[in-house]
Amino acid sequence: MAACVTRVELSVSCRSLLDRDLGSRSDPLCVLLQDVGGGRWAELDRTERIKNCQNPEFCKKLVVDYYFEKVQKLRFGVYDIDNKSFDLNDDDYLGGVECTLGQVVSSSVFTRPLELTQGKPAGKGTITISAEEIKDTRVVYLEIEARNLDKKDFLGKSDPFLEFYKQSDAGTWQLVYRSEVVIKNNLNPCWRKFSVPLQTFCGGDLNKPIKVQCADHDSDGSHDLIGAFETNLTELQKAGDSSPVEFECIHPEKKQKKKSYKNSGVIRIKSCKIETEYSFLDYVMGGCQINFTVGVDFTGSNGDPRSPDSLHYISPDGINEYLIAIWSVGSVVQDYDTDKLFPAFGFGAQVPPSWQVSHEFALNFNPSNPYCQGVQGIVDAYRQILPQIRLYGPTSFSPIINHVARFAAHSAQQGAASQYFILLIITDGEITDLDQTRQAIVNASKLPMSIIIVGVGEADFKAMEFLDGDNGVLKSLTGEPAARDIVQFVPFRQFKNAPREALSQMVLAEVPKQLVSYYKWQGWPPVKPPDMKKV
């Protein structure tokens, strides 16, 4: 079992960023990467993008697990985002900084100059990072509307948005939330329900001062203040379904100038609720078993296993890319499964005695009991079956996804967070049933399961990247979107020279988030919830 770690929340702001946009200011975003060894960096988190701003104060906090016993090398990169793609390679780099999480945690405020490359400063740009330990897993949910806001735009009404600030121990105001959707031309807006972790919102202190600002959004970044008020969470919590809490929105300069000034509108808190948000460890420690299944691609495109250029060729030292992938992922996952019995299947081969092509045959040739004892059992079954089958085709993923989905659906009917399923598919990537696989993944996205695809060899993995859904929500052929993102694809070739744990870290990075998102969606707490502080 992995040690229970502290989670740390990083607040990021920048000053004097380079200006890369013609005719307007840069639209910055900050990305956080961690060194995973072998010269590779894995993305941990990223902030929102702020339009037309050279001195951004990012609202979204970057969350990272802090291991005291590890040197965690971090890289913060600031980019000017001018398109909708998730990939940052096509965006202008505004500078970055490398440091360790220990350096950030041990400084109350960590400020460094941004660099374009080592030793080359990014103009006068600086980055400031402050860290706060997340001790509280409660979340504040708020529903807010406004009435009769002041008109700020010469042509048309105001485009209002909200900002919430908490007061730090030093008395300064720190941004904790900015409403994402600007409501255009509306002096009586009703904002979408939103949530903020209690730790972020007020450090867990219900009486900590909170400042709420309402401003008129301008596309050039020069937002005009409509008004503000101060309160605390105890006051906000008085809002109920039938009795909202109202606050006058006051513009300090207008109040000074005009004796008859009353307010610049009224902000109404329709509801304010505090709920517990459970973590991956809460579910695992609360009794959730993680069931691990492996699917191995035995199609002809892998090459004859007896030939040294085949992806299934076992080298003199007893390994190939399939075996390394099984070991890397299985050795981490097996710690979370008490019986250590893992079903393992092959697909795309002709299987004795009938030599029919099968798309889900047990690696141990025992369909009624396809379980292997531990990761070593999977490896042994794989080695024994290789000389006994004929690699064939086509490459169909949907049968094995549907196979695991049947077990996940049965578990979901129990209505408890007791079983979660991880399917590892190792493939050379030349999929032939893409439409059926899309449908299978969309169906599986409503079940307690995640799919990891490791691509071996040098093929073009465009179809795998499409299934991953990082560049937009995966949809079935009929247009039905996935309920949540459950697929993580990683090409093995990127890890050929990296340490083994680098592959498992990259491949399993999304699983905790996917597990929590499923149980949160269902509203299921851990089977044995942790002892929580009472609200």
Side-chain angles (χ1 to χ4, degrees):
M1 174 70 76
C4 187
V5 295
T6 296
R7 303 203 86 198
V8 173
E9 183 178 82
L10 304 176
S11 300
V12 180
S13 61
C14 299
R15 291 286 172 270
S16 308
L17 291 179
L18 289 171
D19 209 350
R20 294 288 198 215
D21 286 355
L22 288 169
S24 66
R25 285 170 289 188
S26 292
D27 305 330
L29 166 154
C30 181
V31 64
L32 171 61
L33 306 167
Q34 181 165 346
D35 184 355
V36 291
R40 288 191 47 75
W41 295 83
E43 180 175 332
L44 295 182
D45 209 348
R46 57 173 71 187
T47 67
E48 78 281 19
R49 162 201 185 207
I50 297 181
K51 282 188 170 179
N52 291 322
C53 187
Q54 284 174 277
N55 301 304
E57 182 176 5
F58 295 105
C59 175
K60 181 177 182 310
K61 311 300 177 191
L62 302 173
V63 176
V64 56
D65 288 338
Y66 168 63
Y67 298 85
F68 174 70
E69 68 278 13
K70 282 188 192 171
V71 176
Q72 290 170 270
K73 281 171 72 178
L74 304 179
R75 177 188 287 166
F76 294 83
V78 183
Y79 291 83
D80 174 21
I81 308 296
D82 286 321
N83 55 42
K84 288 199 165 103
S85 80
F86 191 81
D87 188 3
L88 296 170
N89 289 326
D90 54 2
D91 298 298
D92 288 326
Y93 186 53
L94 301 178
V97 65
E98 286 183 23
C99 58
T100 66
L101 185 53
Q103 286 174 301
V104 175
V105 169
S106 58
S107 321
S108 54
V109 177
F110 181 84
T111 301
R112 290 288 184 276
L114 289 166
E115 293 186 335
L116 291 171
T117 52
Q118 196 153 14
K120 184 183 177 188
K124 295 180 177 170
T126 62
I127 187 167
T128 298
I129 305 150
S130 58
E132 196 174 352
E133 183 184 352
I134 301 176
K135 306 185 203 71
D136 203 317
T137 58
R138 290 171 295 172
V139 175
V140 185
Y141 288 85
L142 284 153
E143 283 185 86
I144 300 177
E145 62 185 15
R147 290 285 173 269
N148 305 320
L149 295 176
D150 279 359
K151 180 171 171 292
K152 285 287 181 182
D153 291 347
F154 180 64
L155 298 167
K157 299 167 185 163
S158 297
D159 308 326
F161 68 99
L162 294 174
E163 288 185 323
F164 283 72
Y165 294 83
K166 73 176 172 194
Q167 196 167 39
S168 71
D169 296 336
T172 56
W173 292 103
Q174 186 182 26
L175 180 69
V176 295
Y177 176 77
R178 179 186 291 123
S179 65
E180 56 189 309
V181 181
V182 175
I183 299 176
K184 298 273 186 192
N185 280 325
N186 194 337
L187 302 181
N188 300 296
C190 182
W191 287 278
R192 263 202 334 227
K193 184 178 181 180
F194 64 91
S195 64
V196 185
L198 192 70
Q199 177 88 24
T200 306
F201 196 76
C202 61
D205 176 356
L206 304 196
N207 296 311
K208 189 186 274 282
I210 299 287
K211 181 166 75 175
V212 183
Q213 283 188 181
C214 183
D216 172 32
H217 183 273
D218 284 327
S219 55
D220 64 2
S222 60
H223 312 307
D224 300 318
L225 179 68
I226 293 173
F229 63 89
E230 285 186 31
T231 182
N232 58 41
L233 197 49
T234 304
E235 289 295 312
L236 296 174
Q237 273 190 291
K238 290 175 182 171
D241 294 336
S242 54
S243 56
V245 177
E246 297 193 344
F247 296 92
E248 287 189 297
C249 210
I250 304 296
H251 194 296
E253 287 174 22
K254 283 190 176 180
K255 191 178 180 185
Q256 270 189 330
K257 283 180 188 168
K258 273 189 181 175
K259 279 194 175 159
S260 61
Y261 174 77
K262 193 171 174 213
N263 60 45
S264 293
V266 172
I267 303 285
R268 304 178 73 199
I269 313 298
K270 289 162 68 181
S271 85
C272 174
K273 292 188 172 72
I274 296 176
E275 295 176 10
T276 298
E277 193 121 299
Y278 296 108
S279 70
F280 175 68
L281 287 176
D282 288 336
Y283 283 107
V284 167
M285 292 169 160
C288 183
Q289 288 290 306
I290 293 181
N291 300 282
F292 179 50
T293 303
V294 178
V296 179
D297 180 342
F298 288 108
T299 53
S301 50
N302 282 277
D304 182 343
R306 290 164 299 192
S307 164
D309 56 5
S310 165
L311 293 167
H312 280 297
Y313 175 73
I314 297 177
S315 65
D317 54 0
I319 59 165
N320 63 25
E321 291 185 10
Y322 279 92
L323 285 169
I324 294 170
I326 291 168
W327 265 120
S328 300
V329 180
S331 57
V332 174
V333 174
Q334 71 176 350
D335 287 347
Y336 299 93
D337 188 321
T338 42
D339 67 12
K340 307 277 186 287
L341 289 171
F342 305 125
F345 299 92
F347 58 89
Q350 291 177 320
V351 182
S354 65
W355 299 105
Q356 291 276 331
V357 175
S358 171
H359 295 296
E360 46 169 315
F361 57 89
L363 285 195
N364 61 6
F365 280 149
N366 185 349
S368 60
N369 183 12
Y371 297 92
C372 300
Q373 181 66 55
V375 181
Q376 186 62 54
I378 302 173
V379 168
D380 293 344
Y382 168 82
R383 286 188 168 133
Q384 280 162 16
I385 202 173
L386 256 183
Q388 301 180 60
I389 56 173
R390 293 181 195 146
L391 273 57
Y392 205 72
T395 310
S396 299
F397 284 6
S398 56
I400 193 164
I401 294 172
N402 291 330
H403 178 100
V404 175
R406 283 193 290 276
F407 286 91
H410 179 71
S411 168
Q413 285 169 356
Q414 318 298 313
S418 56
Q419 308 239 19
Y420 195 84
F421 295 79
I422 295 176
L423 169 60
L424 169 65
I425 296 176
I426 314 168
T427 177
D428 72 346
E430 311 217 350
I431 184 169
T432 44
D433 71 335
L434 188 59
D435 292 341
Q436 292 94 322
T437 295
R438 282 162 66 182
Q439 186 64 58
I441 291 169
V442 167
N443 296 344
S445 70
K446 303 175 200 126
L447 298 171
M449 70 180 276
S450 292
I451 301 166
I452 293 162
I453 304 173
V454 174
V456 295
E458 299 302 318
D460 172 9
F461 289 118
K462 283 271 187 300
M464 303 299 109
E465 284 159 2
F466 170 71
L467 295 174
D468 190 320
D470 275 352
N471 291 324
V473 178
L474 179 74
K475 292 190 170 109
S476 71
L477 199 59
T478 58
E480 183 190 359
R484 53 197 187 93
D485 179 12
I486 62 164
V487 179
Q488 172 79 339
F489 165 70
V490 176
F492 185 90
R493 57 178 170 242
Q494 291 182 358
F495 293 86
K496 265 198 168 145
N497 303 313
R500 239 176 233 192
E501 60 270 19
L503 176 66
S504 57
Q505 276 177 23
M506 188 79 173
V507 159
L508 294 169
E510 303 285 322
V511 169
K513 225 185 313 186
Q514 290 169 355
L515 179 146
V516 170
S517 78
Y518 176 76
Y519 291 128
K520 183 181 175 184
W521 180 52
Q522 293 289 3
W524 297 344
V527 177
K528 293 183 294 223
D531 295 330
M532 295 301 297
K533 289 182 277 185
K534 297 286 178 283
V535 176

